């Protein structure tokens, strides 16, 4: 009877130890999964911030490039407009000078004729 009781107690302790072992194993796996998830989440957040920073840098470079390009186009347009205005003013001045030259020549011719007539 003692041997049977010892066998039953031994078997009972074995089953409890097996159950405890399985529970501890499951608990350890769950804890490891939670810790891994937290570590990965931290790494993901760091990577996401790094990507956001990279995106901001790329946007900054792109906006700077577009701004410089637009500035160059605007400068070229302004120079073209200035050239057109100067051309218009030069043509107008040329027409005015030609007109006054012809008026001046006409006046000189009239004066010459008058002086020759009166002398």
């Amino acid at each position: 009877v003692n041997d049977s009781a010892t066998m039953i107690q031994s078997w009972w302790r074995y089953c409890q130890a097996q159950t405890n072992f399985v529970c501890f194993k499951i608990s350890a796996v769950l804890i490891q999964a939670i810790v891994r998830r937290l570590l990965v989440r931290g790494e993901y957040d760091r990577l996401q911030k790094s990507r956001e920073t990279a995106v901001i840098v790329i946007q900054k470079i792109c906006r700077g490039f577009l701004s410089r390009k637009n500035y160059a186009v605007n400068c070229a347009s302004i120079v073209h407009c200035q050239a057109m205005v100067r051309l218009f003013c030069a043509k107008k001045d040329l027409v005015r000078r030609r007109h006054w030259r012809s008026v001046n020549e006409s006046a000189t011719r009239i004066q010459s004729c008058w002086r020759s007539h009166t002398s």
Side-chain angles (χ1 to χ4, degrees), residues 4-88:
S4 298
T6 304
M7 286 291 277
I8 292 172
Q9 288 174 354
S10 173
W11 180 80
W12 179 254
R13 277 187 245 134
Y14 168 76
C15 285
Q16 284 182 333
Q18 185 73 17
T19 304
N20 286 342
F21 175 75
V22 170
C23 286
F24 286 142
K25 185 176 180 182
I26 290 172
S27 297
V29 169
L30 286 175
I31 291 171
Q32 287 174 352
I34 291 170
V35 169
R36 281 192 200 111
R37 185 180 69 197
L38 292 175
L39 291 174
V40 168
R41 181 180 290 168
E43 181 69 21
Y44 177 77
D45 289 342
R46 188 185 64 75
L47 183 63
Q48 192 69 18
K49 287 180 184 176
S50 173
R51 284 183 181 168
E52 288 173 4
T53 304
V55 167
I56 289 170
V57 168
I58 291 170
Q59 287 175 346
K60 184 173 95 173
I61 290 170
C62 185
R63 287 181 183 139
F65 170 77
L66 292 176
S67 172
R68 285 188 296 277
K69 183 179 175 184
N70 288 337
Y71 177 76
V73 168
N74 288 341
C75 283
S77 297
I78 290 169
V79 168
H80 181 70
C81 287
Q82 288 174 341
M84 297 308 287
V85 168
R86 288 182 184 134
L87 177 67
F88 174 76

Side-chain angles (χ1 to χ4, degrees), residues 96-109:
R96 186 181 57 80
R97 285 184 184 190
R98 284 182 181 166
H99 172 71
W100 280 110
R101 188 178 342 148
S102 69
V103 168
N104 211 7
E105 287 174 0
S106 298
T108 304
R109 187 172 288 146

